[in-house]
Amino acid sequence: MIFRQAEGGSRAARVAFLGLGHMGLPMAKNLSAAGHDVVGFDVFPAAVDAAREAGLGVAASGTDAAAAADVVITMFQSGAQVIEAYRGVDGAAGLLAVAAPGTLFIDSSTIAVDEARAAHALAEAAGHRSLDAPVSGGVVGAENATLAFMVGGSDEDFAAAAPLLEAMGRRIVHCGGAGLGQAAKVCNNMILAVSQIAVAEAFVLGERLGLEHQALFDVASNASGQCWALTTNCPVPGPVPTSPANRDYQPGFAGSLMSKDLGLAEQAIDLTGVDARMGRLAREIYLEFAAGPGAGQDFSGIINTIRTDSAPA
Ligand code: NAD
């Protein structure tokens, strides 16, 4: 049973929210504000303190939180962290071992498709239910409960999780079976990376040819070059006043996160053997960008690297 009848007739779940970082803490706060009984935990003590200060209940360990929950949500950095937490390390019991049978595990971390499938298999073998539910929308989306969730798992588990995901997000898409939420996330971000590089290259080429930024924007945004990387995340200041280019490329979506997601895309490309040359090149370009100036910059800042690396005018 995921939901219990709460005071006043509303339906509430007991949720263990593990991983209270940039994304996890505001997501957990939104679940709590929606009336769910949320208990959080993070291995980083300062994150636990921040959760406590925000008025969330906190547990002494992840397993303590999971043992008393109907739903366990994880929001970690990597797939290895998710699998370790599920299994337990150094002989200690993991989350799957302590949770009551039939607990719904929802992993919202961005991890590789094959890692997500492994996590599903572990959860199922331990008698639990599970979904992969990565998000897009960043910290602002997490704070405002406007995240997009891409969900993989069974129809039944998706239906059970939907009210919880709706408390944290605005667009909830069931993408198919195990791992397909992560598949949708890597495919979308590969499109985004390739298109952001293409838009940036076009602006630098236009500059060299004597074309004003606004003129290129006015043409391309109303023609077949139209895309989010141009009309929302425009890499030059001016045409789209809200884009990161107007605030010195403060993220937005940091180059380091784009590089991470492209690494996961590359893993999926390797796994499937797809001839995705643009995706691989985008991975190479953002890996380099994230190792240099792009670590803390919005990924649209790639335009500055393109200018710097271009032959002198
Ligand atoms: P973060 O590093 O701020 O938070 C992750 C937290 O998980 C850390 O506080 C860490 O201590 C904790 N953690 C790790 N292992 C744990 C365990 N076993 N038990 C409890 N806590 C544990 O990362 P974030 O920015 O919140 O991102 C989380 C995930 O969301 C990542 O996979 C990221 O790729 C994805 N994501 C992030 C953004 C963004 O804008 N930050 C956007 C979309 C998706």
Side-chain angles (χ1 to χ4, degrees), residues 62-64 66-68 93-100 128:
T63 45
D64 278 5
L95 302 173
L96 298 175
V98 301
H128 300 302

Side-chain angles (χ1 to χ4, degrees), residues 102-126:
T103 297
L104 177 60
F105 280 77
I106 303 176
D107 179 41
S108 281
S109 326
T110 301
I111 69 175
V113 175
D114 51 342
E115 291 169 325
R117 291 188 170 142
H120 273 273
L122 286 169
E124 195 177 318

Side-chain angles (χ1 to χ4, degrees), residues 19 21-23 42-44 75-77 81 110 135 138 257 260:
H22 292 97
M23 298 292 288
D42 196 294
V43 289
F44 183 45
M75 192 54 171
F76 301 160
Q77 288 130 343
Q81 288 173 341
T110 301
V135 301
L257 288 173
K260 172 198 163 174

Side-chain angles (χ1 to χ4, degrees), residues 6-52:
E7 274 177 46
S10 62
R11 281 152 36 93
R14 295 181 309 172
V15 181
F17 204 112
L18 312 180
L20 301 167
H22 292 97
M23 298 292 288
L25 179 56
M27 291 166 72
K29 281 163 66 178
N30 285 328
L31 269 182
S32 174
H36 299 290
D37 181 5
V38 180
V39 174
F41 179 72
D42 196 294
V43 289
F44 183 45
V48 175
D49 292 343
R52 199 183 283 110

Side-chain angles (χ1 to χ4, degrees), residues 27-182:
M27 291 166 72
K29 281 163 66 178
N30 285 328
L31 269 182
S32 174
H36 299 290
D37 181 5
V38 180
V39 174
F41 179 72
D42 196 294
V43 289
F44 183 45
V48 175
D49 292 343
R52 199 183 283 110
E53 278 161 30
L56 274 189
V58 294
S61 68
T63 45
D64 278 5
D70 307 309
V71 180
V72 177
I73 301 180
T74 42
M75 192 54 171
F76 301 160
Q77 288 130 343
S78 70
Q81 288 173 341
V82 174
I83 288 172
E84 277 191 2
Y86 276 20
R87 275 198 179 128
V89 277
D90 298 334
L95 302 173
L96 298 175
V98 301
T103 297
L104 177 60
F105 280 77
I106 303 176
D107 179 41
S108 281
S109 326
T110 301
I111 69 175
V113 175
D114 51 342
E115 291 169 325
R117 291 188 170 142
H120 273 273
L122 286 169
E124 195 177 318
H128 300 302
R129 308 160 65 177
S130 108
L131 295 170
D132 52 296
V135 301
S136 68
V139 175
V140 173
E143 284 168 350
N144 297 336
T146 55
L147 291 170
F149 280 89
M150 295 146 268
V151 188
S154 73
D155 291 345
E156 195 193 351
D157 294 343
F158 176 75
L164 296 172
L165 305 182
E166 282 160 8
M168 299 182 282
R170 197 157 52 189
R171 214 154 32 87
I172 322 291
V173 182
H174 188 197
C175 301
L180 293 180
Q182 299 290 353

